[in-house]
Structure formats: structure tokens, C-alpha cells
Amino acid sequence: MSQPVLPNPTNLLAVALVINRSRDGPNFVFHYPPQVRPPHNQPGQSQYGLPVETRDSDDTILESLDQPVSSFDNTVDASSSADHTHAWDDHRFTETGTQIVPWEHVAGFPTKDLASILTPGRAYHKKLFQLSLDPLYCVSCPIHVPESGVWKKRKKKKPDKAKSVRTEDGGTATSDIDLSRLFTHSSSNGAEGSQAEQKDKGDEVDDKRASMTMFNLVFILHPRKHQAKELIATLYLNIIRKISKAYKYSQQSSDFVWKESKRITALKEKGREERWKTGRLWTEILSSSSLAASVQDIYEAVSQNRIAALQLDTAAGPLTPSVQIPVPFYVADLPPDGEEGQRGLWLTSANSFISEDSLDEPGFLDRNFALLLMEDERKIIAELQADPDPTTAAMVEFVRLSKPTQSFYQVGQSNILSLGQVRKYAQHFIFWRRAIAIPPLHARDVYILSPNCDTRRLPRASLEWQKTFPLAPPLTNFLAELSYAPRPYKHFCPSKAHRPTYLLMLAWLMRGGWVTQLCTFAYVVVWPEIQYEVEYEREAEELRCAKDHTSETTSQPSSSFESSEGAHQPPSEKRVPTINEQAAEQARLERIAEKTQREAAEKAAAHALKVVPTATAHPSINNAPHLAHMTPHIILDAKKPNGTESLYMSAIARRLKDEKVAKAWHGFCKYFNGKSALERIALQEDMKRKEAWTLLTAMSEHLMCVRHW
């Protein structure tokens, strides 16, 4: 399994904000980081894959981009001089007296030209906008002002808050972000609310005066060519679209984007006049504009694969949207040689083969998974208790009740929390990367040293292990013992009284990706004896049907000639066949009947010579001569067998003499696909583990089992 393509400081060069005004035109408002070096290959040396909107722009823009060396590059070469590291931040002047400002070039391009091509038309409103400046990619989700020309919408009282948002054309569309969940508003007093209402008309006038027709949050990428498509899709779906929608919400509610853009632009003009260094200017901008600070937070969090928790200080109150790229907390297989990025992740196939049918059943997830906190329980509870929000009390109880040994279903059986609350809080902790979902830990399950563990962390982990469990064996010895002779985990406990402590040790090892569960998977195997029996019975049934059909046809007079002759003629035109024609047709039918009877007799004779199938107690070791030419058949998915495999399954069920086992056979078949761990059957079927394994043992003659993570 290849490593997922995630943004990093190498392929994510910058995040920029561009706006457009009907009066002043495009404006490259802000970008982060302040210095964005151009990639090694010069963009002007390759073709540009520009969208249709940008191809219709002024030709001078493309001409300026096609120049491999600009006037700024003549003054300060990005790669030719050794002192450029210190000189790039200086203000320079050309021979004609034009001032060259360092922050007005990004990745080797003038920001004025970038602003022109990064303000696409309304056709790209809330859609993926992708601009290729080889080898760079500019990716965004442009947001245009509504057709009315005013950003702010009038508040309308609605009897019911549906999970939909009003679109610009007056219709409704399902929202891909639940704003009530995504944004947290600070409480405001009544005086502030009344003042805001009194300023509604003034705000609308300011909106029209500002005439900001669109804004565009642009991600400037430099990916490898074979990774570009995946990286762009990942960023757009998880980050760009959601943040653009958050900015749109803040712009419509309080004109936030425009007001912050004015503040940033004014500071940049002041920096130009007073010849500030870029570092000083960016410090001023970041300290005075929460919009600029959010751009910084987006870049730093996304490039470091962290959660971007933004703070937008709008006039209507702070908004705190949080976005992230979901990262896998497990891998289903070992990464290829040379890909070390996934080392240390939990190695398991327990999560990778969940079918869509199972996902539609909440009970499947509730019974098969438990919550494993990634930090100390006391630390998380202390953080929750410091929050005055009344809902945190229930979350504290959830943390106390949730144990890695108890499934979500078991936690929901308490009188304190409902199953719905358990699901909701579990999703919350998993989203914030404070926990992961794992199959419940059990002392009777088998755990081994994970082949995907990161041994480079072993020295530090050994010290933490000794500090956390001072009486336990050394970490290296304990891991070696687990894998030397895999057996149920309870056998490593000195006594039953030590089992709770040893389960805590197991949770610690799972949290660090040091161990993984060794699970059992099964396929249905059809031995030759059963195949022969099904084929024999099917052939006998065909012979009986053929015999009955022959008896019926010979006992009834044939009128096929008349039927064939008169089928296509009206009653008035039917021709009476002659005596010769009737005799010829009768002779033909007799020949067909004789041939059919002869073939049936030959088949019956051959069938009579076959050995009558006999059911044995162990068909797997039946070496009878009449079975020598047959090989065992594996049913890859017993839940979805084909026609012949269905007959095999029924034949096996008839051989199970115990009525309880035969009934369980039909219920357990959905787990015999080589993908569902047999250790989960007891959880899913809500039965005791001993009972489930007793039934599986009774079926073992017809199962082929394999063991892996």
C-alpha cells in the first residue's frame, strides 16, 4: 500500500489571499510565508495550462509571465549571488526610479500579474479553480459576491433550522459543512446586538461602496508530477473548500474579509512608503489582522499535517473554524521499502475491509470498536473541566467510562450516556486526534510485536515504559516474549489479579503502535467428497426431469406440423397438409424422440456406474479413488456464493448434525470471506466468546483458516 500524498513544506509553497474590486481591479492582499522562493525550474520555460477564463485575460499578463527574467530578477537574482539571503528583503530602485518592493514578488512572479490571473470569472464560483504555472500549481475555490451585488444578506426568521443554506439564486442546497458545528460564536450582550441592527443599513452602503466582487484563497503548490492530482484533490476537499466557505460566512455576516483586506493593504502601503523590511511588515500585519493570522495558521498547520484551528475576530463575534486532512491512524499492510513515513502506525486489517453494507448498520461499528485515548486520561479530563461549557460535563463522563476493553455499545448501556452521545463524543475525540477506534482489547486475544513498529523510538519508549510501569518487565524483553510464541495475552499475566494492570500495559503498547493483534480469518473449503455429492445429486435430478419430460411428450399426439404451418397464417388461409407431409413430419419427430431416449439411456447407464456418494465424518481426508481427479474448492465470499457454491453451502449444512451448529452456519457465513476476523463474531452476534468459538470449532472441518494482523 503506497503512502498517501500529504502536504508538506516542500510541496506546499504558500497560501495567498487575492481579492477583486469593480473599481480598482485585482489585489494580491497577503501571502504566507513572506518569502516564497521560486522552484529550480523557471516557470517561463514551460507551457501553462490556464483555465478558459484566464486565457481571455490581457495578453500583456501572459507576456510578462513568459519572461524568464523580470526587472526584479535583474536587480536581485534569486540564485546567482551568495548574499541574496540577506539582500532579498531590501527595497531597490531601477534605473528609471521605480521602487522594487520585496513582498511584491512571490515564487519569482510579480504579485500584480498573479492577482490578474488568480481572479477568475463567476463561472468558477465555489468550484475548483486550478491554474498550472509549470512546475507550480495554484489551486483555490473562488467566492463571488451574490448577484444582488451585496455580500450581507437580510436575516429572515425561519420556523425550522434545516441543514441547508440559501444559495444566491434563491434556491436551497445541502451544506457540506454544518456551520452550527464548525463555528463557535462568542456570546454578545443585548446592547451590541441592538447597535448591530441599527448599523445594518450603513453596512449595506459600505458594502456597495467597497465593491469587492470576489475573494480567492489560493494554495501555491509544487508537487511531484505523479502526485499532483492526488494532492490537489486532498487539499481541495478537506481544506480549501471548507475554509473558503468559512470566509464566505464571515464576509456575509460582518464584511470581515473586505475590512481585513483594507487593513492589510493600508499597512503594506505604509511599509512601502517607509521602506520597512518584510519581517517588520509581516509582524505588524499578523498582530493587527486575524485574517492574515488565519492564513499563517493555515499554512503552518496544513504543511505540518496538524489541525488548523483558526480564530476569526469578526464584528459579529469570534468564529473558530477547524479543518484538517484526515490522516490514517493505521495501515493494512507494510509500507514498501524506502517509505518510512508510515512507520509506527497501528498495523491492522480490522478497519480496512469494512463493507458498505456494514457501515449502514450502526450496530456493527458500535459492537466492534472501542475508544483508545492517545493521551493520559487525567490530562484530558483536566482540560475538559477547565472549560465552563456545560456540555463538557457529559464529555468528562464519557472519558471516564470509555475504556479500550469496552465497545461503544457496552459504554452506551450505562444509565449515564446514551448510545447516540457515545457515538457523537467518540467522533469528536477522533476528529481532534485525541483518540483512535480499535477493536476492544481482550485478555484471550493474541497480540504480537508489530512488524510496522518504529524501532528508532525504542530507547525513549523504554524509558517511558519503565516510568509508567516500574514493576513490569523491560519493554524489549516484553515485546520479545510476545512474539516468541504467540498465545492468548492472559498467559503473560502472572496471576488473575495482575490482569487489569497488564491490560493497561497492552493499551500503552497499542497506543504507540508497538503491538498488533494476531487475528484469525476463514474461507469455506469444499472438499472433493462434497463436490462429488452435489454433482451426483444434480445429475440424478436432471435424469429424473428428462425422464418425466420424455413420458409426457410420447403420451401426447403431436400437432407440431399444423402448428408450425398455421402459426403465421390467418384462420381463413390455413392449408390442410397432405398425407405425405404428415407422414414425413411424424417420422422426423419419432427420430428426435428415439435420439433423446437413447441419450437419456446412455446418461442413466453412465450414472448408474458411478459410485454412490457416502458422507464421511472427515471429508478432508477422504482419499477414495473416484475423488482422485478432484481438487478442493475455496469459496472466497460465503455471503455471496454463485449457484453451484450455494449448493455446496447447503450440502455442508446438511452434514452438520447438531441443530444449533447448523443454524449458526447460515448466520456465520457472512464472516467467512478472509476479511472478517473470527475474534469479532462474538461481539457482533452478542454472544459469549466461548460459545462462539465452540460453534466455530464444530464447523472447522469445512473452514480454511489463516492468521495475520
Side-chain angles (χ1 to χ4, degrees):
M1 184 179 67
S2 61
Q3 183 177 356
V5 180
L6 298 174
N8 55 61
T10 302
N11 57 30
L12 175 57
L13 298 186
V15 180
L17 177 67
V18 183
I19 67 171
N20 193 18
R21 296 183 64 195
S22 58
R23 185 175 63 184
D24 299 334
N27 180 17
F28 198 94
V29 178
F30 183 73
H31 66 275
Y32 193 89
Q35 182 187 15
V36 185
R37 294 182 179 273
H40 294 297
N41 358 1
Q42 293 295 333
Q45 297 174 355
S46 303
Q47 296 293 328
Y48 303 111
L50 300 178
V52 178
E53 290 281 332
T54 60
R55 293 192 184 114
D56 296 335
S57 303
D58 191 353
D59 293 340
T60 58
I61 297 175
L62 298 179
E63 291 174 1
S64 64
L65 290 176
D66 285 335
Q67 300 299 324
V69 181
S70 64
S71 59
F72 175 73
D73 295 326
N74 290 330
T75 306
V76 182
D77 190 352
S79 59
S80 61
S81 60
D83 63 343
H84 173 67
T85 303
H86 306 284
W88 78 273
D89 204 14
D90 295 336
H91 292 248
R92 300 297 181 95
F93 291 88
T94 64
E95 295 178 356
T96 59
T98 303
Q99 183 181 1
I100 304 298
V101 182
W103 56 77
E104 291 184 350
H105 282 76
V106 174
F109 294 104
T111 55
K112 182 178 180 181
D113 295 341
L114 287 176
S116 298
I117 62 176
L118 293 177
T119 51
R122 183 173 291 276
Y124 288 93
H125 176 56
K126 295 197 299 185
K127 297 179 181 178
L128 172 63
F129 175 76
Q130 178 179 332
L131 175 68
S132 174
L133 300 173
D134 194 20
L136 300 182
Y137 290 84
C138 298
V139 185
S140 64
C141 179
I143 303 296
H144 282 259
V145 68
E147 297 288 352
S148 63
V150 179
W151 286 97
K152 195 166 186 179
K153 296 181 179 180
R154 291 184 178 181
K155 298 179 180 179
K156 296 182 180 180
K157 294 183 179 180
K158 296 181 180 180
D160 184 24
K161 294 183 179 179
K163 288 187 177 180
S164 61
V165 293
R166 184 67 57 180
T167 59
E168 284 77 3
D169 58 358
T172 59
T174 303
S175 173
D176 56 356
I177 300 179
D178 186 355
L179 298 180
S180 62
R181 178 187 66 80
L182 183 61
F183 305 123
T184 304
H185 294 264
S186 65
S187 59
S188 58
N189 55 36
E192 292 176 348
S194 61
Q195 291 176 3
E197 292 177 0
Q198 293 173 2
K199 293 181 180 180
D200 280 347
K201 294 183 179 180
D203 290 341
E204 291 183 5
V205 174
D206 291 340
D207 281 332
K208 292 182 178 180
R209 188 183 298 117
S211 300
M212 185 179 76
T213 59
M214 65 91 68
F215 66 84
N216 197 14
L217 185 68
V218 183
F219 284 63
I220 302 176
L221 309 177
H222 182 217
R224 298 179 180 178
K225 288 189 176 181
H226 68 281
Q227 297 179 342
K229 185 176 181 180
E230 182 179 351
L231 178 63
I232 290 171
T234 299
L235 277 172
Y236 179 75
L237 294 175
N238 296 284
I239 303 295
I240 299 174
R241 186 175 62 177
K242 295 182 179 180
I243 293 181
S244 297
K245 192 159 190 176
Y247 283 175
K248 175 177 177 284
Y249 179 85
S250 62
Q251 171 64 18
Q252 290 183 332
S253 62
S254 59
D255 206 17
F256 173 74
V257 176
W258 166 238
K259 290 178 180 178
E260 292 292 300
S261 297
K262 284 196 301 183
R263 180 180 291 111
I264 296 171
T265 303
L267 285 172
K268 291 172 71 175
E269 288 300 322
K270 184 178 180 180
R272 170 190 286 272
E273 294 174 1
E274 301 182 7
R275 302 185 186 178
W276 287 357
K277 297 283 189 180
T278 304
R280 177 185 175 186
L281 175 60
W282 253 241
T283 301
E284 292 287 339
I285 292 176
L286 293 173
S287 62
S288 59
S289 171
S290 64
L291 176 63
S294 69
V295 174
Q296 178 190 22
D297 293 339
I298 292 168
Y299 174 80
E300 292 182 345
V302 174
S303 63
Q304 298 296 330
N305 195 20
R306 301 197 307 264
I307 299 175
L310 311 181
Q311 178 79 19
L312 306 180
D313 297 327
T314 71
L319 303 179
T320 57
S322 300
V323 294
Q324 64 165 310
I325 296 175
V327 294
F329 55 83
Y330 70 93
V331 290
D333 204 350
L334 294 174
D337 294 338
E339 292 189 7
E340 298 295 328
Q342 294 178 302
R343 286 290 176 185
L345 292 180
W346 174 37
L347 180 64
T348 180
S349 59
N351 296 14
S352 58
F353 293 117
I354 298 178
S355 64
E356 294 182 1
D357 296 339
S358 299
L359 289 175
D360 293 337
E361 305 173 6
F364 180 87
L365 298 175
D366 295 340
R367 296 178 186 275
N368 281 269
F369 291 94
L371 195 74
L372 176 63
L373 297 174
M374 299 304 289
E375 296 180 0
D376 184 67
E377 176 183 322
R378 291 170 295 182
K379 178 182 177 182
I380 295 177
I381 291 178
E383 292 177 1
L384 291 172
Q385 290 176 336
D387 190 342
D389 193 321
T391 60
T392 58
M395 296 183 71
V396 169
E397 291 301 322
F398 170 75
V399 173
R400 288 174 174 165
L401 290 173
S402 294
K403 306 297 179 185
T405 55
Q406 289 188 311
S407 66
F408 296 146
Y409 176 79
Q410 291 171 320
V411 176
Q413 297 304 303
S414 66
N415 297 326
I416 301 176
L417 298 174
S418 66
L419 191 55
Q421 287 178 304
V422 172
R423 292 195 199 108
K424 177 182 177 181
Y425 295 150
Q427 291 174 355
H428 174 83
F429 279 94
I430 293 172
F431 174 85
W432 287 100
R433 306 185 186 180
R434 308 298 291 274
I436 62 175
I438 64 170
L441 303 179
H442 201 282
R444 289 193 179 93
D445 287 331
V446 180
Y447 299 90
I448 60 171
L449 174 68
S450 173
N452 195 48
C453 68
D454 190 354
T455 54
R456 296 170 298 183
R457 298 189 292 110
L458 190 57
R460 178 178 295 181
S462 298
L463 296 177
E464 296 177 1
W465 169 271
Q466 186 177 3
K467 182 179 178 181
T468 307
F469 307 105
L471 301 180
L475 178 59
T476 53
N477 295 357
F478 193 70
L479 291 175
E481 190 177 358
L482 283 175
S483 294
Y484 177 73
R487 57 189 184 274
Y489 185 72
K490 66 178 183 178
H491 292 296
F492 298 96
C493 304
S495 66
K496 196 170 184 179
H498 290 80
R499 189 170 295 180
T501 302
Y502 268 68
L503 286 173
L504 292 176
M505 294 161 54
L506 179 60
W508 190 96
L509 295 171
M510 289 288 293
R511 189 178 296 116
W514 294 106
V515 299
T516 188
Q517 184 179 354
L518 189 62
C519 296
T520 309
F521 303 86
Y523 298 94
V524 173
V525 55
V526 185
W527 300 108
E529 177 184 311
I530 298 176
Q531 296 179 51
Y532 181 84
E533 176 185 318
V534 170
E535 291 177 6
Y536 186 91
E537 292 178 353
R538 184 163 54 182
E539 188 177 80
E541 180 64 24
E542 290 176 355
L543 290 173
R544 284 194 295 271
C545 293
K547 183 178 180 181
D548 294 342
H549 179 69
T550 303
S551 301
E552 292 177 0
T553 54
T554 55
S555 62
Q556 297 178 357
S558 174
S559 59
S560 60
F561 181 84
E562 296 180 1
S563 300
S564 60
E565 285 290 322
H568 304 290
Q569 298 179 3
S572 59
E573 299 180 4
K574 284 187 177 180
R575 182 177 64 86
V576 178
T578 64
I579 298 299
N580 293 335
E581 290 174 339
Q582 292 181 1
E585 178 64 16
Q586 184 65 29
R588 185 181 70 85
L589 294 177
E590 290 177 355
R591 289 195 300 271
I592 293 175
E594 290 177 359
K595 181 180 179 181
T596 302
Q597 293 175 358
R598 185 171 61 254
E599 291 177 350
E602 292 174 354
K603 289 183 179 181
H607 180 73
L609 295 176
K610 288 186 176 181
V611 178
V612 178
T614 303
T616 63
H618 300 285
S620 59
I621 59 175
N622 188 346
N623 297 322
H626 66 282
L627 305 176
H629 67 286
M630 305 180 71
T631 58
H633 175 76
I634 304 296
I635 300 179
L636 297 180
D637 190 350
K639 185 180 179 181
K640 301 175 182 178
N642 57 34
T644 303
E645 290 175 344
S646 297
L647 296 176
Y648 292 158
M649 297 290 293
S650 299
I652 293 174
R654 292 194 300 269
R655 287 169 172 258
L656 301 174
K657 303 304 181 181
D658 190 309
E659 183 179 352
K660 190 174 182 180
V661 177
K663 182 179 179 181
W665 172 260
H666 296 289
F668 284 12
C669 282
K670 57 180 176 288
Y671 303 110
F672 303 149
N673 53 13
K675 302 175 182 179
S676 302
L678 302 186
E679 287 79 2
R680 313 280 184 267
I681 293 180
L683 289 170
Q684 186 61 25
E685 298 295 328
D686 196 16
M687 61 175 56
K688 294 183 178 180
R689 293 172 62 91
K690 185 177 181 180
E691 179 185 2
W693 281 110
T694 301
L695 294 173
L696 289 170
T697 302
M699 306 172 188
S700 60
E701 181 71 21
H702 308 285
L703 298 178
M704 177 171 287
C705 297
V706 295
R707 304 191 75 184
H708 59 80
W709 49 79

